[in-house]
Amino acid sequence: MSGYRAAVAGATGVVGRAILTVLAEREFPLRKLRLLATERSRGTAVSFRGETLRVEVAGPGAFAGMDIVFFAVGTEASKVLVPLAREEGAVCIDKSNAFRMDPLVPLVVPEVNAGSLRGHRGIVASPNCSTIQMVVALKPLADAAGLKRVVVATYQSVSGSGRGGLVELDQQVRAIVAGGEAGVLFYTRQIAFNLIPHIDRFGPDGYTGEECKMINETRKILAMPDLPVTATCVRVPVAVGHAEAVNIETKRKLSRDEAWRVLSAAKGIVLMDGPDEGTYPTPLDAAGRDEVFVGRVREDPSVENGLDLWVVADNLRKGAATNAVQIAESLAAGGLLGSA
Amino acid sequence: MSGYRAAVAGATGVVGRAILTVLAEREFPLRKLRLLATERSRGTAVSFRGETLRVEVAGPGAFAGMDIVFFAVGTEASKVLVPLAREEGAVCIDKSNAFRMDPLVPLVVPEVNAGSLRGHRGIVASPNCSTIQMVVALKPLADAAGLKRVVVATYQSVSGSGRGGLVELDQQVRAIVAGGEAGVLFYTRQIAFNLIPHIDRFGPDGYTGEECKMINETRKILAMPDLPVTATCVRVPVAVGHAEAVNIETKRKLSRDEAWRVLSAAKGIVLMDGPDEGTYPTPLDAAGRDEVFVGRVREDPSVENGLDLWVVADNLRKGAATNAVQIAESLAAGGLLGSA
């Protein structure tokens, strides 16, 4: 029997379930699959490739014998469980914020920096959803023309907050359509038919945690520790799919044609930019897809070597599950996971 | 009897009705009010300050005897009707794109450039909704520290497209909530639970008409013909209220405290920026209000003298109706409208 012994921690969450879907779709070689969650979900039946699996509780002993564990749990849970799983011998791929900026932990988007997986110490971090899709678009442009500055404004769907966000949007929309009042339970403000420019906690400088993540993670992944980046992160009433208006300055001039060529040749990108035919990506185009969609490419004459882009991806897939599974594939291909 | 003889052309549209509301609320001095629209709306009853008015048809002779006419019709209709009304002796305040960039026509946001009303030749243009709220926020900062560059990404509500946009969002949401398919009739793509980075037509350089308007109108209103501006304009599934993530570079450094002071002292602005208390403006806060709301003010260290802002306003009010009525008030106060 070949394949890896793997576990998914947080298997009943929105991202955990997406990891199961992506593992099956991409036929990741599995010899054994263990589903883990909190006590509350113990025994829950989950079907995977026609088999019914029962959810077990994540905790000491749960990771023994595993080659790899996908963590799709919150930051505080990851801080406890990831070191435990590593001690029990598994390589951990963690989607939380717990280890991303740890200098000993590679922070990986395989299209961009798979090379940094070499020498991992048992933990690999997957970046924040909004970072992943942006760096996939930035990397080929940076390689082609150098990167001087990034200004990004995001349009982030509620599934980025997990099931709570999806339920809140759905319930508020239903209440309003029925002529009632939208109760606010999960977010700080009504999200249905509204926008919330507040994701994660505010820092003393006025930037939110989400904005800081985009800035710091982008620098680490691109290995450009001083790259000037500013971000405004906004929650929008969309279920799945994040979009980003990205303005960049490159070191050398890139014409629109050159940018199109570079982007369409890049791994993991679908260039969808036919303004004459009204073609551009929207969240609905990206939902259920693994690629990063780029459109609205324009030379920005307001600055030397300026370029505007519109970048869209499925935040549950490329922004989370797909990226984690691609990390596992890269580890496997590089012989960095033990033998299948 | 004192007050002006006024007409509203396009009185049955979303903006036309908002003009009536604002005229009543602000007690604009009226001796006579005539409501005009197309043949289709002839005879429609509209109540104004407790009186029932009947809609008449806009065309030759309809403007005779009027001191002022508010135009809330499309660009093509304005091109025909505005010159007619001016010939019949009325001062025209036009919200369409027909005359905005005409060097002989003042393009006015009263808080910013009321002075340019002097010497008008019978036509005053009101800017595009997304421009108005941005320049209200930019003007005091430009006065305080000079302005070097503007990068803006917009989040524009469907009411910016008139009733058709509101109906489309409503019908699509209802269909989806009922478990059906969202029909796409009005926009190019589904807007419910989606984003459309396409407002107005695409130009050969990839910028849309809406983006060009923001760039060109901002330069004209601020009297900075070479100001570097780039814009990405996006339709979002919000009914009323546009938001904008605005990144600027100023000539002199403005600290966050200084920016707060400048903005809170400025005419027409409500500073709503208490990140410690989770205070920031959303479209729901701005809906039904006449001011421009500014929050999320941050120093942007990615560039010299950088500043990030989040600017929100009711696109039907300050973005259209209120601005038009404020232009009329400024004309009246300056004796530029004949005598009341």
Side-chain angles (χ1 to χ4, degrees), chain A residues 176-201:
Chain A
I176 291 166
V177 163
E181 289 277 309
V184 174
L185 296 169
F186 182 81
Y187 289 118
T188 52
R189 307 290 307 277
Q190 179 182 318
I191 185 63
F193 307 104
N194 202 23
L195 307 163
I196 307 179
H198 173 191
I199 304 181
D200 204 343
R201 263 171 255 173

Side-chain angles (χ1 to χ4, degrees), chain B residues 39-152:
Chain B
E39 183 59 45
R40 215 179 36 178
S41 300
R42 183 203 289 271
T44 302
V46 174
S47 102
F48 180 77
R49 291 186 183 166
E51 237 182 294
T52 298
L53 305 175
R54 293 281 166 186
V55 174
E56 301 168 60
V57 176
F63 310 101
M66 294 291 118
D67 298 308
I68 186 165
V69 183
F70 297 93
F71 280 90
V73 300
T75 296
E76 293 313 309
S78 273
K79 278 182 187 165
V80 175
L81 294 173
V82 168
L84 197 64
R86 181 170 56 166
E87 268 170 48
E88 295 182 4
V91 173
C92 302
I93 300 176
D94 183 36
K95 83 141 196 83
S96 87
N97 192 36
F99 303 98
R100 287 180 188 149
M101 297 311 296
D102 183 331
L104 297 179
V105 172
L107 179 66
V108 176
V109 179
E111 295 91 332
V112 177
N113 66 337
S116 68
L117 288 170
R118 261 185 299 281
H120 76 80
R121 300 175 179 216
I123 306 178
V124 178
S126 186
N128 194 38
C129 42
S130 44
T131 307
I132 291 176
Q133 66 186 71
M134 184 165 80
V135 296
V136 168
L138 291 181
K139 173 65 171 170
L141 298 169
D143 285 348
L147 200 53
K148 268 181 68 179
R149 184 180 177 226
V150 179
V151 178
V152 58

Side-chain angles (χ1 to χ4, degrees), chain A:
Chain A
M1 232 169 76
S2 82
Y4 297 97
R5 293 160 301 179
V8 177
T12 55
V14 171
V15 172
R17 292 197 179 255
I19 289 175
L20 298 179
T21 304
V22 173
L23 283 171
E25 279 178 8
R26 296 175 77 97
E27 303 184 341
F28 186 79
L30 289 172
R31 178 157 26 137
K32 183 179 173 63
L33 181 62
R34 184 176 288 168
L35 306 188
L36 302 169
T38 56
E39 184 59 45
R40 212 179 40 177
S41 300
R42 184 203 288 270
T44 302
V46 175
S47 101
F48 179 77
R49 290 186 183 168
E51 239 181 291
T52 298
L53 304 175
R54 293 280 165 187
V55 173
E56 300 167 60
V57 175
F63 309 102
M66 294 289 119
D67 299 309
I68 187 164
V69 183
F70 297 92
F71 280 89
V73 300
T75 295
E76 293 313 308
S78 274
K79 279 183 187 164
V80 175
L81 295 173
V82 168
L84 196 62
R86 181 169 58 165
E87 269 170 45
E88 295 182 3
V91 174
C92 302
I93 300 176
D94 183 36
K95 81 142 197 82
S96 87
N97 194 36
F99 303 98
R100 286 180 190 149
M101 296 312 294
D102 183 330
L104 298 179
V105 171
L107 180 66
V108 177
V109 179
E111 295 92 332
V112 177
N113 65 338
S116 68
L117 289 171
R118 262 184 298 280
H120 75 81
R121 300 173 178 216
I123 306 177
V124 178
S126 186
N128 193 38
C129 43
S130 44
T131 308
I132 292 177
Q133 67 187 69
M134 184 166 79
V135 296
V136 168
L138 291 181
K139 173 65 171 169
L141 298 169
D143 286 348
L147 200 53
K148 269 181 67 181
R149 184 178 176 227
V150 179
V151 179
V152 56
T154 72
Y155 304 67
Q156 299 183 226
S157 69
V158 296
S159 59
S161 321
R163 194 165 290 129
L166 285 163
V167 168
E168 178 106 330
L169 175 60
D170 182 66
Q171 291 187 341
Q172 289 181 347
V173 165
R174 284 175 192 278
I176 291 166
V177 163
E181 289 277 309
V184 174
L185 296 169
F186 182 81
Y187 289 118
T188 52
R189 307 290 307 277
Q190 179 182 318
I191 185 63
F193 307 104
N194 202 23
L195 307 163
I196 307 179
H198 173 191
I199 304 181
D200 204 343
R201 263 171 255 173
F202 281 105
D205 55 2
Y207 279 89
T208 60
E210 186 81 358
E211 289 156 358
C212 294
K213 283 180 218 165
M214 284 198 83
I215 294 167
N216 296 327
E217 295 177 14
T218 297
R219 289 173 175 162
K220 178 169 176 176
I221 298 163
L222 295 177
M224 299 172 73
D226 302 315
L227 181 68
V229 183
T230 187
T232 300
C233 290
V234 181
R235 192 71 69 193
V236 298
V238 169
V240 175
H242 288 358
E244 297 171 351
V246 185
N247 180 268
I248 66 171
E249 297 168 45
T250 54
K251 287 186 177 153
R252 289 172 300 284
K253 163 96 180 158
L254 267 186
S255 72
R256 196 175 175 211
D257 280 342
E258 287 166 331
W260 272 334
R261 253 197 312 277
V262 164
L263 290 165
S264 51
K267 257 197 301 194
I269 291 180
V270 175
L271 182 68
M272 196 168 165
D273 196 9
D276 293 342
E277 308 85 49
T279 313
Y280 38 77
T282 75
L284 285 181
D285 297 302
R289 297 284 299 269
D290 287 323
E291 304 93 336
V292 172
F293 294 75
V294 182
R296 303 293 332 270
V297 178
R298 287 156 287 156
E299 292 172 32
D300 162 18
S302 80
V303 72
E304 208 190 353
N305 305 335
L307 215 53
D308 279 305
L309 312 166
W310 172 251
V311 179
V312 186
D314 183 325
N315 52 295
L316 298 178
R317 288 192 157 240
K318 184 54 188 168
T322 302
N323 198 64
V325 174
Q326 287 171 325
I327 289 172
E329 291 170 347
S330 295
L331 287 167
L336 298 165
L337 207 55
S339 60

